[in-house]
Amino acid sequence: FDYLINASGKVEAVDQIMVVAERSGYLDELTVKEGDYVERGKILARMDQTESLIKLEKAKIGVKNAIVTYQSEAFNFPTILNDSTDLRKLEIEEYLMVKSGQYTAEIDLKEAELDLEKTIIKAPTSGRVADMKVKRGSMVNAGDELFEIINTNQLELKVKVLESDINLISLGQKAEIFPVGGG
């Protein structure tokens, strides 16, 4: 005997990712529109980079200043840096790196580079662009949802089945699926 189980549910993409702005700023460029297919890693949008480029330049100058300060301070330890044991030499170099601000300047440079990278929004996965919430020129804040990328190659059907019908269902069993509108 055939037994008919009627259940309603929803088809969802297994790979469905919301693309979120990682920093605040204006969207200078938006290279996609609703429904476009994108490959993983493709540039989807670019934010205004002016502030990030200034921070990067400032950080590079900070590193150069710290290096000059390090070299200037190193003149106070000529014999230790040239003739000393490796351990003592490392201690002095560490001291000079801290005193000159070189460690801090290098971290500032890495932060500035990371901030600049965040102005370029790339596709985290391959799929179709959906549910666009922004337009070119929009001001976005860090954490704002921009759009979704949905990979339709692998879909999952989620249905709610009555407890009394659950023993009648097994893996590999065939099912007929009809959209809500009929068909």
Side-chain angles (χ1 to χ4, degrees), residues 97-143:
M97 292 285 280
V98 171
K99 187 175 180 189
S100 69
Q102 194 167 342
Y103 281 141
T104 305
E106 288 173 0
I107 289 171
D108 289 345
L109 179 60
K110 287 177 185 174
E111 284 178 343
E113 289 169 344
L114 186 60
D115 187 61
L116 183 61
E117 282 178 36
K118 289 179 181 179
T119 63
I120 299 170
I121 300 163
K122 295 180 182 179
T125 187
S126 298
R128 298 243 174 239
V129 175
D131 196 21
M132 288 198 70
K133 298 177 190 304
V134 293
K135 294 181 180 176
R136 185 177 173 267
S138 300
M139 173 63 176
V140 295
N141 294 310

Side-chain angles (χ1 to χ4, degrees), residues 2 6 9-11 16 18 23-24 28 38 60-61 71 73 77 82 99 107 124 136 164 171 173:
D2 282 340
N6 216 353
K10 171 166 128 164
V11 176
Q16 185 170 337
M18 180 60 69
R23 66 180 296 274
S24 299
D28 270 355
V38 294
K60 285 179 180 177
I61 291 169
Q71 290 169 344
E73 291 288 329
F77 302 93
N82 294 329
K99 187 175 180 189
I107 289 171
R136 185 177 173 267
S164 57
L171 285 175
Q173 199 171 11

Side-chain angles (χ1 to χ4, degrees), residues 42-67:
K42 179 186 187 233
I43 294 174
L44 307 173
R46 289 181 199 271
M47 299 179 76
D48 179 37
Q49 295 182 334
T50 307
E51 187 179 328
S52 296
L53 290 170
I54 291 170
K55 283 181 186 177
L56 181 63
E57 195 58 37
K58 189 175 177 182
K60 285 179 180 177
I61 291 169
V63 169
K64 288 178 184 177
N65 286 338
I67 290 171

